[in-house]
Amino acid sequence: MGAEQVRAGFVELYGTAPDGVWSAPGRVNLIGEHTDYNDGFVMPFALPHTAIAAVARREDGVLRLHSADVEGGVVELGPEDLAPESDRNWTAYPAGVVWALREAGHPVTGADIHLASTVPSGAGLSSSAALEVVVALALNDLFELGLQRWQLARLCQRAENVYVGAPTGIMDQTASACCEEGHALFLDTRDLSQKQIPFDLAAEGMRLLVVDTRVKHAHNEGEYGKRRAGCERGAALLGVDALRDIAYEDLDGALARLGDDEEAVRLVRHVVTEDERVEKVVALLESGETRAIGPVLVAGHASLRDDFRISCPELDLVVDTALASGALGARMTGGGFGGSAIVLAEATDVDTITKAVEEAFAAGGHAAPRVFEAVPAAGARRLS
């Protein structure tokens, strides 16, 4: 659904034209998983798949929400209705953004919003962050708040953490707000410094596939929160503010200090080695050794599977099948417990790998996966 369709849907719903139409993308994370809430490094890029919002400001404090993707009519919320963890539906994401802006002292006096999204929900591609960021950008423009993109990302993260109740890091919202077309975003989640890294696989005869296993995940379920709490406990045991502070060269000593605390050892090892993998991928891309990132992706999957223990049989099946069929690299991407995997491949091998993965899923009795090429796209923007 494009901007004009969303605009027309707004007019049909609310009987008047919107003040504008905005979009914000989902993302794929190339490398750097579960490092963001440990003050570490990540490297996402934006997808062409977007959430689109037609929005008009109101002056009476009322928020009206509608999605073309969800059955049901317009949801109307008054100022007294916006309370953390009061909503378990899709509306929590845009409502949470309004709440976060108001809590931060920004004069958002209400809005009518109509949304539509092509970001697959529950696929580990940040459909929720896209919803948050598109609403935040629209309100920032309409109410002339003057907030920078990184500030919008912070407020959206707060909306998800506090209002929705999902303990996510800052990566997804920053990727949606700040990514640039044709680039991957090297982000230091401690100070939010950014570097856009050129990432044009097609020019080098390669492709990056996303394989949506169609196994749904949800960040506000318990396992994600357990991993985050475990990382925080590991940092406390090691006497550091965050696991980012454990240098890769000092990892063996740090693990030795953890003794027989097997869970802490696994979690700490993943985060520290994953930060190292992000820096390695950046160095390889900047030196033109793009094909050499393949083994780094594979090592990242092994760490997520064995140390962080957030993979699932379907994700492992994608990775194993793709590698056996000639892929340069593959790994799960996103929060885990389902969702998607990415596959780095020569362009000439894409059809072979796709067919092999589809056949493996059929043979295993799994639902057919959704496979598409991921091309680095632009971040959030105003469309009209």
Side-chain angles (χ1 to χ4, degrees):
M1 185 173 288
E4 289 310 309
Q5 289 172 290
V6 176
R7 175 183 289 274
F10 183 100
V11 173
E12 184 177 343
L13 279 167
Y14 299 116
T16 185
D19 294 328
V21 181
W22 291 259
S23 75
R27 67 96 189 98
V28 160
N29 193 24
L30 183 62
I31 193 72
E33 222 64 80
H34 288 267
T35 49
D36 57 347
Y37 55 77
N38 289 293
D39 283 1
F41 305 121
V42 295
M43 199 173 185
F45 64 86
L47 289 168
H49 306 71
T50 60
I52 299 176
V55 185
R57 60 181 288 167
R58 297 176 64 97
E59 306 300 332
D60 58 1
V62 171
L63 176 64
R64 293 198 293 180
L65 300 167
H66 184 269
S67 171
D69 309 310
V70 181
E71 289 188 10
V74 173
V75 176
E76 183 170 318
L77 300 168
E80 69 282 355
D81 297 321
L82 301 187
E85 298 194 53
S86 62
D87 186 352
R88 297 300 177 189
N89 300 307
W90 70 270
T91 48
Y93 297 98
V97 170
V98 174
W99 171 85
L101 286 166
R102 289 174 175 171
E103 283 287 298
H106 301 294
V108 177
T109 57
D112 290 338
I113 300 175
H114 175 54
L115 291 150
S117 179
T118 59
V119 186
S121 176
L125 303 176
S126 298
S127 58
S128 59
L131 282 183
E132 293 158 358
V133 171
V134 74
V135 170
L137 182 62
L139 297 176
N140 187 51
D141 287 353
L142 291 180
F143 290 94
E144 299 179 338
L145 304 180
L147 296 168
Q148 299 298 308
R149 294 299 182 96
W150 68 268
Q151 293 174 303
L152 293 177
R154 277 286 194 213
L155 285 164
C156 289
Q157 182 199 15
R158 176 166 168 76
E160 189 149 349
N161 289 172
V162 180
Y163 195 92
V164 178
T168 55
I170 190 64
M171 174 180 67
D172 297 350
Q173 293 85 0
T174 305
S176 187
C178 300
C179 278
E180 294 182 4
E181 185 175 0
H183 294 75
L185 177 67
F186 177 38
L187 173 67
D188 182 334
T189 65
R190 170 162 281 172
D191 62 13
L192 297 188
S193 59
Q194 304 176 16
K195 186 175 185 181
Q196 302 285 346
I197 307 295
F199 192 57
D200 184 359
L201 293 178
E204 300 186 60
M206 288 176 285
R207 300 289 188 271
L208 190 77
L209 301 178
V210 174
V211 183
D212 176 6
T213 65
R214 301 189 187 270
V215 177
K216 299 292 185 180
H217 75 167
H219 279 168
N220 58 351
E221 292 179 359
E223 291 301 318
Y224 186 100
K226 288 179 184 176
R227 300 305 187 280
R228 180 165 185 163
C231 289
E232 292 169 350
R233 187 174 69 86
L237 290 171
L238 293 169
V240 294
D241 291 336
L243 294 183
R244 152 74 174 276
D245 296 313
I246 304 298
Y248 179 73
E249 297 76 18
D250 300 332
L251 177 59
D252 288 345
L255 297 181
R257 296 203 305 278
L258 292 172
D260 60 359
D261 191 330
E262 186 259 350
E263 180 189 54
V265 165
R266 287 190 291 100
L267 298 181
V268 170
R269 183 166 54 216
H270 166 72
V271 173
V272 176
T273 59
E274 187 78 346
D275 274 335
E276 172 73 5
R277 283 186 284 272
V278 176
E279 293 187 291
K280 186 178 294 184
V281 167
V282 171
L284 289 169
L285 291 178
E286 290 187 325
S287 64
E289 300 175 79
T290 306
R291 284 173 173 79
I293 74 173
V296 187
L297 303 183
V298 176
H301 183 77
S303 183
L304 290 162
R305 180 192 64 210
D306 300 335
D307 276 346
F308 228 65
R309 298 186 181 178
I310 58 170
S311 189
C312 68
E314 292 86 352
L315 288 168
D316 294 340
L317 183 61
V318 173
V319 172
D320 294 344
T321 303
L323 294 175
S325 304
L328 298 167
R331 74 171 191 90
M332 60 155 284
T333 187
F337 313 105
S340 299
I342 56 174
V343 177
L344 179 68
E346 302 288 357
T348 52
D349 292 334
V350 165
D351 290 346
T352 299
I353 292 168
T354 300
K355 182 180 179 182
V357 170
E358 290 172 345
E359 289 178 347
F361 268 58
H366 306 300
R370 179 184 183 210
V371 184
F372 61 91
E373 182 182 350
V375 179
R381 62 198 189 279
R382 186 168 188 163
L383 299 178
S384 66

